[in-house]
Structures are given as C-alpha cells and as structure tokens.
Amino acid sequence: VQTPEPDRRVMLVADIHLGGFSKSKNREIEADFIQLLDYCRTYCTQLIILGDLFDYWMEYPNSRPVFAEATVNKLKELAQDGFPVLYITGNHDNWMRDFFSKNGIEIEHEYRLVTWDNQRVLLLHGDGLADPDWGRMRPKLHRFLRNPYFIDMYQKLLPELMGLWLMKWFSKISSIKPSRSSRIRLDEWCLRILDQDKTDVVVCGHHHYTRDINSSGKRYLNTGNFFNDRTLILYANKSFHPVKWNGTEELIEASPSFEASKS
C-alpha cells in the first residue's frame, strides 16, 4: 500500500536583508518577519528561506554577528520545537558556518531539487551556482569570497570586530537593488531551465522583483523582496500562490503586484 503524501503548506520567503537599513526600518522589518514566523508555525508544515535573510552575515570559528537577535531566537525556537526550517544561502550569506545547523536549521549552500505532489521543484536563491552544468555560475567576486582559503586568511588577519565592520561596510556599498540587466538574465535563465525540462517549477529570489510566469505548462516564480514589499510564496493545496504579508488578522492576501503569466 502506497503511503499518501502529507498535505504540504510551505512558506517560501527571500531577501529580508535584516541589518541593511536604518534602525527604525530594521525594527519594522524584523517585527513583521517575526509575525510571519509565528503564522508559519501555526498554519504551515515547513519554512524555506531562499537567501539573504541578513544583509551581511559573517561567522568566525567561535563567534557570530550579534544583531537581529529576535529573529535568530525565533528561528532557533522553531527548530527546537521540531518545525522544519530550510535555509538556502544567498550572496549576502557567503560566510555562514555552522551556527544555524547546530541549532537545528537545515542549511543548503547551493540549491535544492524536491518533488512535491509529483512536481519537480528547483529551489535556490538565484545569484548563481557552483555546478557549471546548470549554466549559471556565480560572479567571480562571490566565488572568491566563498573560497575557504580566502576566508581563513581574512579571519586570521583581521580580528572579529574589524572583520565584521569591513563586511558591513562592503555590504553597504554593494547595491541592494540588482540592475535591470541582472534581473533579465535571471528571468531568462529560469525560463531556459524550464524549457530544458530540468524541472517543472523554479522558485527563487535575489533580484527583488516578483514573477509568476507560465511557460509551456511549467512555472517560474520569484518571491520578490520582503524588506519593502512583504511578498512571498505559499505552497498549499498542491499549488504555488504568490501572496503578500499584510500583518492583519487575515495575515496574508493574494499579491496584486506579480507579473502577469506569459504563455
């Protein structure tokens, strides 16, 4: 007898960029995100963060950045209660070590290919991948930043406070708004992956603009960004639903800002 698949209700969110704004805006983003996490624990079966939860994150061997503690503690609480959390790292998560995994949060540094209700689903941040077979290599700078030899040298030469300050400065001068050309390249790559029949659905973030595009019966979705637009993806009733967090008793609503589907 075949065991039926469980009813999945998965929340997928990306590009929160905690720590990347003024203190007041950071507090506002974090408060809304924690509300979302509480909603997720009550009504969902899994949370998937598709990268760039923080605007900068650099763990030293025996320490980590100390900010957005309410979010960190809430994620630890979810994991300790047995609620599954998958964190797929993005280009602002280059230097994540084992802090989250030691606290029960599953970490993936590349991509995750899953099958939900007979649909092959590719989950990733969108900045690039190490495997050349996917045809989307990371930019050279980020390949360099992720290199373990560079990380070891950086952390041996710079004490924690100085190293974290430099990372924060680098994050500030890096544009939080990807260029139009980079958005186009990511959109085209996602549609190409669908055309090559490598998956049935692609869900990612990274370029901060919402997408919901049908292509020959397959689907490309981009979460958009949480830090400004509060948009995300809800997988429920065997389908993907673009939604917008509204913080009211209804909690989520259909997002009106998603790009119209294309044939």
Side-chain angles (χ1 to χ4, degrees), residues 9-11 39-47 83 234:
R9 190 175 172 90
V10 183
M11 191 72 75
Y39 173 89
C40 196
R41 173 161 52 183
T42 302
Y43 295 103
C44 297
T45 59
Q46 186 181 14
L47 168 67
F83 187 87
L234 177 65

Side-chain angles (χ1 to χ4, degrees), residues 136-201:
R136 185 169 173 80
M137 297 294 291
R138 286 192 180 91
K140 290 181 180 179
L141 174 61
H142 288 281
R143 278 182 268 167
F144 177 73
L145 290 174
R146 284 177 179 247
N147 187 294
Y149 296 106
F150 171 75
I151 295 171
D152 287 344
M153 180 184 69
Y154 181 100
Q155 295 190 344
K156 285 176 182 176
L157 291 175
L158 295 176
E160 179 187 352
L161 289 178
M162 184 180 295
L164 184 59
W165 177 87
L166 185 59
M167 174 56 70
K168 184 177 180 180
W169 174 83
F170 177 77
S171 176
K172 291 291 185 186
I173 65 171
S174 301
S175 175
I176 202 169
K177 183 178 181 180
S179 66
R180 181 175 183 273
S181 61
S182 68
R183 298 198 304 269
I184 292 172
R185 286 195 298 271
L186 176 56
D187 292 343
E188 289 177 343
W189 178 83
C190 290
L191 293 174
R192 188 163 61 249
I193 289 299
L194 295 175
D195 289 342
Q196 293 171 356
D197 197 34
K198 290 190 174 185
T199 187
D200 300 312
V201 182

Side-chain angles (χ1 to χ4, degrees), residues 22-37:
S22 66
K23 289 183 179 180
S24 60
K25 184 169 182 177
N26 283 323
R27 284 194 298 268
E28 181 182 328
I29 296 168
E30 185 169 32
D32 282 355
F33 187 64
I34 288 173
Q35 277 189 324
L36 179 68
L37 295 181

Side-chain angles (χ1 to χ4, degrees), residues 37-257:
L37 295 181
D38 286 333
Y39 173 89
C40 196
R41 173 161 52 183
T42 302
Y43 295 103
C44 297
T45 59
Q46 186 181 14
L47 168 67
I48 299 179
I49 300 169
L50 295 174
D52 291 359
L53 171 58
F54 305 101
D55 197 58
Y56 59 95
W57 185 268
M58 181 176 60
E59 291 178 47
Y60 272 66
N62 298 307
S63 62
R64 62 172 178 86
V66 180
F67 69 101
E69 286 297 280
T71 295
V72 172
N73 291 333
K74 181 64 70 172
L75 289 171
K76 288 166 59 178
E77 180 184 309
L78 287 174
Q80 289 163 4
D81 288 346
F83 187 87
V85 179
L86 171 63
Y87 190 158
I88 300 176
T89 60
N91 52 302
H92 285 252
D93 309 309
N94 280 328
W95 292 3
M96 184 175 290
R97 290 180 179 264
D98 58 2
F99 170 77
F100 286 102
S101 58
K102 283 183 175 178
N103 284 281
I105 296 161
E106 187 178 4
I107 298 297
E108 170 62 65
H109 293 292
E110 293 294 322
Y111 65 92
R112 187 64 57 91
L113 189 58
V114 299
T115 300
W116 291 346
D117 303 303
N118 297 318
Q119 299 177 88
R120 296 170 300 164
V121 183
L122 176 65
L123 305 170
L124 70 161
H125 178 62
D127 59 314
L129 298 169
D131 186 347
D133 289 343
W134 285 100
R136 185 169 173 80
M137 297 294 291
R138 286 192 180 91
K140 290 181 180 179
L141 174 61
H142 288 281
R143 278 182 268 167
F144 177 73
L145 290 174
R146 284 177 179 247
N147 187 294
Y149 296 106
F150 171 75
I151 295 171
D152 287 344
M153 180 184 69
Y154 181 100
Q155 295 190 344
K156 285 176 182 176
L157 291 175
L158 295 176
E160 179 187 352
L161 289 178
M162 184 180 295
L164 184 59
W165 177 87
L166 185 59
M167 174 56 70
K168 184 177 180 180
W169 174 83
F170 177 77
S171 176
K172 291 291 185 186
I173 65 171
S174 301
S175 175
I176 202 169
K177 183 178 181 180
S179 66
R180 181 175 183 273
S181 61
S182 68
R183 298 198 304 269
I184 292 172
R185 286 195 298 271
L186 176 56
D187 292 343
E188 289 177 343
W189 178 83
C190 290
L191 293 174
R192 188 163 61 249
I193 289 299
L194 295 175
D195 289 342
Q196 293 171 356
D197 197 34
K198 290 190 174 185
T199 187
D200 300 312
V201 182
V202 177
V203 186
C204 64
H206 182 55
H207 71 26
H208 302 169
Y209 284 77
T210 53
R211 296 288 187 266
D212 185 3
I213 302 174
N214 288 319
S215 177
S216 302
K218 298 184 180 182
R219 199 168 177 189
Y220 158 46
L221 299 110
N222 194 299
T223 62
N225 71 82
F226 190 86
F227 64 85
N228 268 339
D229 299 334
R230 305 297 196 266
T231 52
L232 51 144
I233 306 291
L234 177 65
Y235 182 82
N237 299 318
K238 301 183 180 181
S239 185
F240 292 89
H241 305 275
V243 295
K244 183 181 179 73
W245 178 255
N246 61 27
T248 68
E249 292 142 359
E250 295 177 359
L251 297 175
I252 56 174
E253 59 186 15
S255 172
S257 59

